[in-house]
């Protein structure tokens, strides 16, 4: 049954969306890039410079490459931490608007509550301020589902086109868009089973439900589309083919290799090969790495423990109110709604399934459970608000004549609901204030991923930038090293730095420098390195980067250099940046620092 009085709901959703955008955009560039942001960001810069791109499943989909290439070309934005994260922040900030598409299935208060949960949940906020694909794929998948539900609600098959386009965008961000489709199928199957179970318990004919009631409902829907069932089927098939075409067009455009895509427009005979590379070729690359590869070979329970720990720190009230909402809607309310049950099943499967699907212990994976659980959580929040409001209304109406026992019976549940709501509000504000730009294990260790440098390193990088602007020749020297106790693990050293100018990932040793290459490439710094245990050159560059265990050895070979020691990861990994004092003085004199 649709809820039709939405006069105050839309303004509330728009206001919440404005808040969501604000909390994501303010100070967006303040936190230093994470290892993974630095890796993807560097290769986006390579594409931005060369125009050459081919899908590499290890860095996930091409969406950020293609879109950030456009963003970096905007004159007043340019290349920065802010602009690199901008598209993710915008998508995450606009996600609360999707609640409006579900207004036929949710009460007004539930629509507003859903927008609020999507706007301020600390996990969604933090990873909307992070250049990764998880918020993107989750948001696109959720919006696509909302469009599809709206198409069914209103009998408007034209809405399947934006749904297909947004599904296509989800597939261009990250490969686990496939997992979302599987979750939809699984949750849908559970809904069917739920309907059959309820029919059996209420002594209704299960056979009649399947062969008559559902067939009648389908015929009604088809007639709404086309006037008659045959015409409705025909139009449905036309729209289905059109939606598939839209999906393939979006996927092909993003996955197509560059510059081959642009060349194909000038020479159409090349287009089939480009389409094949974008579709079949990309699927084969994805399958070889993420399905047939060994990235998911790990123990399940440790990954599940970390996943649950992240949810308990980053989304405790989503879990609590989702449970309340599911119970209130499915058991305490005669109005049992498919959407609420569907989203709950989807979220529960995500909690149990993502520890299998993910290849590393990464807090960002919890985003994929928070988004669907936001629906039953919104129902739970709205139910708590109604309980509190109803108690106040009742107390105002006949509280003066009620007995003490009656007052206690009214107020105790409302007091508990009010306590939960206040606790959730305070907890969300406090968590967002703590996590927003956190790079500290003590502040947000369960929410941020291990490969996060400390923010103070960014101040030292500003010194490096200033020095690189006023010096000629090589600007930065990485001192190659072995990880203590593991002589086969080489860090920082790259034998041929020129190989990094190609639009393909660097080797393992180069990856140990991340996220520094993102910054050094932006600074146009000339970078080199020396092999482990090698002696520094007689005239070293103005900036020397070394591991903390090599600090004393390197310092003994340098004279007149400042030392800047920083956490390079959350724990057990530090680097030392040596900066030449004379070069730094020159930079300051010229206003470069």
């Amino acid at each position: 049954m649709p809820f039709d009085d939405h006069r105050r709901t839309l303004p509330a959703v728009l206001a919440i969306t404005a808040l969501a955008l604000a909390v994501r955009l303010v100070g967006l560039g303040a936190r230093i890039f994470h290892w993974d942001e630095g890796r993807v960001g560097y290769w986006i810069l390579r594409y931005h410079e060369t125009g050459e791109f081919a899908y590499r499943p290890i860095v996930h989909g091409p969406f950020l490459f293609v879109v950030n290439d456009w963003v970096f070309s905007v004159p007043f934005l340019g290349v920065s931490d802010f602009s690199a994260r901008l598209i993710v922040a915008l998508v995450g900030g606009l996600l609360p608007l999707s609640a409006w598409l579900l207004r036929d299935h949710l009460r007004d208060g539930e629509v507003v509550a859903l927008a609020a949960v999507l706007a301020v949940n600390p996990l969604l906020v933090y990873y909307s301020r992070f250049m990764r694909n998880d918020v993107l794929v989750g948001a696109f998948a959720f919006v696509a589902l909302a469009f599809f539900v709206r198409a069914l609600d209103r009998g408007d098959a034209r809405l399947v086109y934006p749904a297909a386009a947004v599904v296509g965008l989800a597939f261009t961000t990250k490969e686990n868009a496939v997992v979302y489709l599987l979750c939809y199928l699984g949750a849908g199957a559970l809904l069917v089973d739920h309907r059959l179970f309820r029919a059996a318990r209420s002594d209704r004919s299960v056979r009649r439900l399947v062969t008559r009631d559902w067939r009648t409902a389908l015929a009604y829907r088809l007639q709404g589309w086309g006037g008659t069932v045959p015409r409705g089927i025909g139009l449905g098939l036309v729209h289905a083919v059109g939606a598939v075409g839209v999906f393939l067009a979006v996927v092909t455009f993003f996955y197509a290799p560059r510059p081959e895509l642009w060349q194909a427009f000038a020479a159409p005979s090349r287009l089939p090969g480009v389409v094949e590379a974008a579709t079949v070729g990309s699927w084969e690359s994805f399958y070889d790495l993420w399905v047939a590869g060994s990235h998911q070979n790990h123990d399940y329970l440790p990954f599940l423990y970390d996943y649950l720990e992240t949810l308990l720190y980053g989304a405790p009230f989503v879990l609590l109110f989702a449970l309340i909402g599911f119970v209130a809607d499915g058991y305490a309310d005669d109005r049992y709604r498919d959407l609420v049950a569907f989203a709950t099943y989807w979220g529960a499967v995500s909690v149990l399934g993502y520890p299998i699907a993910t290849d590393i212990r990464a807090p960002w994976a919890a985003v994929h459970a928070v988004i669907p659980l936001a629906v039953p959580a919104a129902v739970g929040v709205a139910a708590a608000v109604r309980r509190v409001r109803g108690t106040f209304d009742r107390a105002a109406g006949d509280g003066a004549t009620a007995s003490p026992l009656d007052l206690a019976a009214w107020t105790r549940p409302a007091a508990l609901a009010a306590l939960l709501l206040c606790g959730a509000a305070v907890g969300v504000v406090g968590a967002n204030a703590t996590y927003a730009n956190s790079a500290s294990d003590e502040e947000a260790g369960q929410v941020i991923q291990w490969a996060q440098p400390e923010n103070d390193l960014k101040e030292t990088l500003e010194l490096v930038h200033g020095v690189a602007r006023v010096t000629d020749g090589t600007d930065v020297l990485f001192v190659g090293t072995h990880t203590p106790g593991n002589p086969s693990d080489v860090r920082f050293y790259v034998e041929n730095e020129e190989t990094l100018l190609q639009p393909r990932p660097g080797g393992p040793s180069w990856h140990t420098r991340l996220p520094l290459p993102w910054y050094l490439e932006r600074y146009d710094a000339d970078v080199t390195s020396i092999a482990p245990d090698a002696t520094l050159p007689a005239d070293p560059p103005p900036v020397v980067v070394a591991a903390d265990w090599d600090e004393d050895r390197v310092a003994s070979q340098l004279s007149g250099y400042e030392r800047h020691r920083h956490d390079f990861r959350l724990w057990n990994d530090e680097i030392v940046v040596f900066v030449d004092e004379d070069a730094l003085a020159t930079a300051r004199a010229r206003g470069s620092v």
Side-chain angles (χ1 to χ4, degrees):
M1 176 68 69
F3 305 101
D4 295 321
D5 186 11
H6 304 300
R7 286 171 295 180
R8 292 181 296 178
T9 305
L10 181 58
V13 170
L14 292 174
I16 290 170
T17 302
L19 171 66
L21 288 169
V23 299
R24 286 158 174 79
L25 293 176
V26 174
L28 182 59
R31 178 178 52 81
I32 191 170
F33 255 35
H34 178 275
W35 182 96
D36 202 60
E37 290 180 294
R39 177 183 62 153
V40 177
Y42 180 84
W43 298 115
I44 293 174
L45 291 179
R46 295 263 57 81
Y47 167 52
H48 185 64
E49 179 181 325
T50 66
E52 297 180 30
F53 167 80
Y55 168 59
R56 296 186 298 272
I58 194 62
V59 289
H60 302 303
F63 181 87
L64 282 173
F65 284 79
V66 174
V67 175
N68 271 356
D69 177 50
W70 298 336
V71 172
F72 293 165
S73 299
V74 177
F76 63 87
L77 287 176
V79 181
S80 66
D81 291 358
F82 178 91
S83 62
R85 293 169 175 152
L86 179 59
I87 188 63
V88 183
L90 290 176
V91 171
L94 292 172
L95 179 59
L97 283 178
S98 61
W100 183 244
L101 293 172
L102 302 174
R103 60 190 181 275
D104 283 350
H105 293 267
L106 301 174
R107 292 186 172 106
D108 289 342
E110 293 166 347
V111 171
V112 174
L114 176 56
V117 172
L118 295 174
V120 301
N121 171 258
L123 274 175
L124 295 183
V125 172
Y126 186 86
Y127 286 106
S128 293
R129 299 165 58 87
F130 197 106
M131 194 187 69
R132 265 195 68 87
N133 293 291
D134 293 270
V135 166
L136 293 175
V137 65
F140 289 146
F142 188 83
V143 171
L145 178 68
F147 269 120
F148 183 73
V149 169
R150 187 68 179 166
L152 292 178
D153 291 341
R154 296 296 170 169
D156 189 351
R158 294 171 299 179
L159 290 175
V160 300
Y161 294 105
V166 180
V167 169
L169 290 177
F171 272 83
T172 68
T173 57
K174 197 174 181 183
E175 297 81 0
N176 68 326
V178 175
V179 177
Y180 275 87
L181 296 185
L182 295 176
C183 288
Y184 294 163
L185 292 175
L190 286 173
L191 284 184
V192 171
D193 180 73
H194 209 160
R195 285 285 185 90
L196 297 176
F197 178 74
R198 280 176 170 260
R201 288 196 60 184
S202 61
D203 295 328
R204 292 164 54 204
S205 170
V206 173
R207 180 178 179 181
R208 176 177 176 176
L209 177 68
V210 175
T211 61
R212 181 176 175 179
D213 293 357
W214 288 355
R215 185 176 62 187
T216 300
L218 177 61
Y220 175 79
R221 184 71 65 191
L222 292 172
Q223 289 172 352
W225 284 1
T228 64
V229 171
R231 181 174 172 79
I233 293 175
L235 287 175
L237 291 175
V238 170
H239 288 305
V241 171
V244 171
V246 169
F247 170 82
L248 291 176
V250 171
V251 169
T252 300
F253 172 77
F254 277 92
Y255 277 91
R258 270 78 164 172
E260 289 83 353
L261 176 63
W262 316 125
Q263 294 169 351
F265 287 119
S269 61
R270 298 182 181 181
L271 192 58
V274 171
V275 172
E276 182 180 6
T279 53
V280 177
S282 296
W283 170 259
E284 290 176 347
S285 297
F286 155 71
Y287 184 88
D288 290 342
L289 181 68
W290 294 112
V291 180
S294 59
H295 280 267
Q296 277 68 45
N297 293 338
H298 57 255
D299 293 333
Y300 175 71
L301 290 180
F303 276 63
L304 176 62
Y305 176 85
D306 282 358
Y307 198 93
L308 293 174
E309 186 178 42
T310 298
L311 287 173
L312 289 174
Y313 276 87
F317 291 103
V318 170
L319 297 179
L320 177 61
F321 281 107
L323 178 61
I324 294 173
F326 178 69
V327 172
D329 193 77
Y331 296 92
D333 195 326
D334 294 334
R335 231 178 12 89
Y336 162 81
R337 289 168 289 179
D338 286 343
L339 175 67
V340 180
F342 182 95
T344 305
Y345 298 148
W346 169 15
V349 169
S350 297
V351 171
L352 297 176
Y354 268 93
I356 299 174
T358 186
D359 61 324
I360 60 173
R361 299 185 191 184
W364 50 66
V367 164
H368 304 297
V370 172
I371 290 177
L373 290 177
V375 174
V379 174
V381 169
V385 171
R386 288 197 303 273
R387 169 69 72 173
V388 174
R389 181 183 297 170
T391 299
F392 277 112
D393 292 343
R394 187 170 183 180
D398 57 2
T401 60
S403 69
L405 290 177
D406 288 338
L407 287 173
W410 299 346
T411 58
R412 284 175 184 168
L416 178 59
L419 183 64
L420 288 176
L421 291 170
C422 291
V426 173
V428 164
V429 172
N432 278 317
T434 300
Y435 298 156
N437 287 315
S438 177
S440 167
D441 179 42
E442 295 179 357
E443 292 179 348
Q446 288 74 27
V447 171
I448 61 179
Q449 207 265 348
W450 168 74
Q452 174 65 56
E454 69 170 336
N455 282 325
D456 288 348
L457 175 57
K458 202 165 188 179
E459 298 176 5
T460 300
L461 288 173
E462 289 299 323
L463 302 181
V464 174
H465 187 196
V467 168
R469 292 171 64 184
V470 300
T471 56
D472 298 323
T474 302
D475 300 303
V476 180
L477 170 69
F478 280 92
V479 179
T481 187
H482 297 289
T483 303
N486 187 4
S488 63
D489 182 24
V490 178
R491 303 189 64 181
F492 298 158
Y493 174 60
V494 175
E495 183 175 358
N496 183 1
E497 298 284 339
E498 292 186 0
T499 60
L500 302 177
L501 299 179
Q502 304 301 317
R504 64 174 185 270
S509 297
W510 175 82
H511 282 83
T512 62
R513 300 177 181 179
L514 292 168
L516 299 185
W518 157 257
Y519 293 99
L520 298 177
E521 180 68 16
R522 284 170 47 196
Y523 302 161
D524 197 24
D526 192 347
V527 178
T528 190
S529 61
I530 59 173
D533 302 322
T535 302
L536 270 64
D539 184 18
V543 177
V544 177
V545 181
D548 65 299
W549 54 79
D550 287 331
E551 179 178 2
D552 292 338
R553 178 177 70 86
V554 173
S556 67
Q557 302 176 57
L558 296 173
S559 177
Y561 281 71
E562 293 182 355
R563 299 190 203 185
H564 301 268
R565 189 184 183 104
H566 300 283
D567 289 330
F568 206 39
R569 306 287 181 255
L570 289 187
W571 57 83
N572 300 329
D573 194 354
E574 296 180 339
I575 62 168
V576 182
V577 182
F578 297 85
V579 183
D580 183 82
E581 294 174 354
D582 291 339
L584 188 55
T586 302
R588 284 173 172 152
R590 297 183 184 179
S592 296
V593 176

